[in-house]
Amino acid sequence: MKNIVILISGRGSNMEAIVRAGIPGARIAAVISNRPDAGGLSIARGFGIETVALDHKLFAGRDEFDAALAAEIDRFAPDLVVLAGYMRILTDGFVRRYMGRMLNIHPSLLPCFTGLHTHRRAIEAGVKVAGTTVHFVTPELDSGPIVAQAVVPVLPGDDEEALAARVLKQEHRIYPQAVRWFVEERLIVENGRVTLRDAQSGPEGWCVPPVDA
Ligand code: NHR
Ligand code: GAR
């Protein structure tokens, strides 16, 4: 059985998608938020999952906060740490501690649009496709080895909210899939690139076309 700790900052819909996926061999050991008011905490409690709220505002700086966060995480002896809408940049020391066993989902087709406000920036840039990326977390923001991506169209008249909703639907599909692959020990990272062990012929998921536009 692999223990998973999920870090959130808000709504927690990706966390919920992963919980609902019921991944064989995975146990969601805890859901931890840096924001005590995160809606996802009550969703997690509804599933009977242990939750921790660790308010970053009560700490002197990033190093102090990340040290406390690591101490909380390690109580659950995680095999995998999952960032699911977690909105605090993590210090190098923290990332090194969990390197190779920490995933993030980002709402753009990386390496385009790293950082914040990705949907607004995608619309402003006039791109015709957008999407989402699951990647291993490395110290450099949104730059770690890519595990899975999904593409959606940007439609005429889209605003940030409409595009975000279309992308989010794909996030809920590819993030549980990526976590499942990790739990199955099928993700091989070599030279900053991920391959899927025993993949069937064809892309099997990591460059997933839109299921519905
Ligand atoms: N940390 C490292 N070192 N590497 C990554 O790849 C990380 C990370 C921490 C979070 C998620 C992320 C994203 O998918 C993530 C990836 C927050 C910010 C940010 O600027 C940027 C990227 C991501 C999450 N946060 C502000 C900060 O000062 C706070 C913003 C807020 O609270 O709303 O930390 O893009
Ligand atoms: C998701 O769209 C996720 O990709 C994004 O925040 C949303 C969280 O939703 N993450 C980032 O922007 C990281 N910088 P959720 O809380 O409902 O899962």
Side-chain angles (χ1 to χ4, degrees):
M1 191 59 80
K2 287 202 163 40
N3 285 327
I4 299 176
V5 170
I6 304 182
L7 305 188
I8 63 169
S9 298
R11 179 178 54 187
S13 71
N14 276 292
M15 175 274 297
E16 182 171 359
I18 291 164
V19 172
R20 284 188 184 280
I23 297 166
R27 167 178 170 265
I28 311 303
V31 171
I32 303 178
S33 174
N34 66 305
R35 292 188 183 274
D37 61 349
L41 287 174
S42 36
I43 295 175
R45 279 185 218 112
F47 284 103
I49 297 166
E50 191 167 337
T51 61
V52 178
L54 198 62
D55 188 347
H56 66 270
K57 295 192 197 85
L58 302 179
F59 291 81
R62 289 186 191 265
D63 287 330
E64 291 81 358
F65 175 69
D66 276 4
L69 181 59
E72 287 297 329
I73 291 171
D74 289 349
R75 292 202 291 125
F76 301 97
D79 299 285
L80 175 66
V81 175
V82 170
L83 309 185
Y86 182 73
M87 295 308 291
R88 296 294 297 170
I89 293 174
L90 297 162
T91 55
D92 288 12
F94 181 96
V95 172
R96 272 197 303 273
R97 184 180 187 88
Y98 302 105
M99 198 110 84
R101 53 188 179 113
M102 180 157 59
L103 294 173
N104 178 45
I105 191 157
H106 183 76
S108 80
L109 291 174
L110 291 173
C112 288
F113 306 118
T114 60
L116 301 176
H117 312 301
T118 54
H119 303 301
R120 187 198 310 165
R121 287 156 58 214
I123 290 168
E124 281 170 5
V127 297
K128 304 307 179 220
V129 294
T132 178
T133 304
V134 177
H135 64 94
F136 280 100
V137 176
T138 57
E140 193 183 346
L141 199 63
D142 296 330
S143 302
I146 291 172
V147 176
Q149 292 185 306
V151 179
V152 303
V154 181
L155 298 177
D158 267 353
D159 58 11
E160 238 175 293
E161 198 188 352
L163 180 57
R166 194 176 303 123
V167 170
L168 189 65
K169 216 165 149 184
Q170 298 304 315
E171 295 184 36
H172 295 165
R173 211 163 55 78
I174 69 169
Y175 213 179
Q177 174 68 266
V179 171
R180 182 184 289 259
W181 285 335
F182 182 93
V183 169
E184 293 171 348
E185 300 183 357
R186 292 179 65 198
L187 299 178
I188 305 160
V189 185
E190 251 170 1
N191 301 321
R193 288 193 293 260
V194 180
T195 52
L196 184 64
R197 199 193 305 279
D198 302 327
Q200 306 303 305
S201 58
E204 205 203 335
W206 52 49
C207 183
V208 198
V211 173
D212 54 7

